[in-house]
Amino acid sequence: MTEQLLATATSDDPGTGLAAVRALRDLADRLELLHVERARQLGWSWQQVADALGVSRQAVHQRYRKKVG
């Protein structure tokens, strides 16, 4: 799958390349949610999560407060 994604992302066709960018962004978003959920389950504070992601506590809290208990 990685080789196929790399080939798609480096395609000469802008439509194909942009579709690959969208797919990578969606994957990154799903992975981020997974790890934010896990961090919170392990007792991490919103500030610790924010620091790990390189964003403000307010930004991470606003994005995930309704998705993560």
Side-chain angles (χ1 to χ4, degrees), residues 17-56:
L18 291 169
V21 169
R22 184 180 67 235
L24 287 167
R25 188 174 293 129
D26 291 345
L27 176 59
D29 287 345
R30 288 194 308 264
L31 287 171
E32 185 172 300
L33 175 59
L34 173 76
H35 289 289
V36 169
E37 287 176 332
R38 184 68 179 136
R40 294 292 292 161
Q41 289 170 354
L42 292 172
W44 283 39
S45 69
W46 287 112
Q47 186 62 58
Q48 287 173 296
V49 173
D51 290 344
L53 292 173
V55 298
S56 70

Side-chain angles (χ1 to χ4, degrees), residues 8 11-22:
T8 303
S11 170
D12 288 336
D13 175 29
T16 300
L18 291 169
V21 169
R22 184 180 67 235

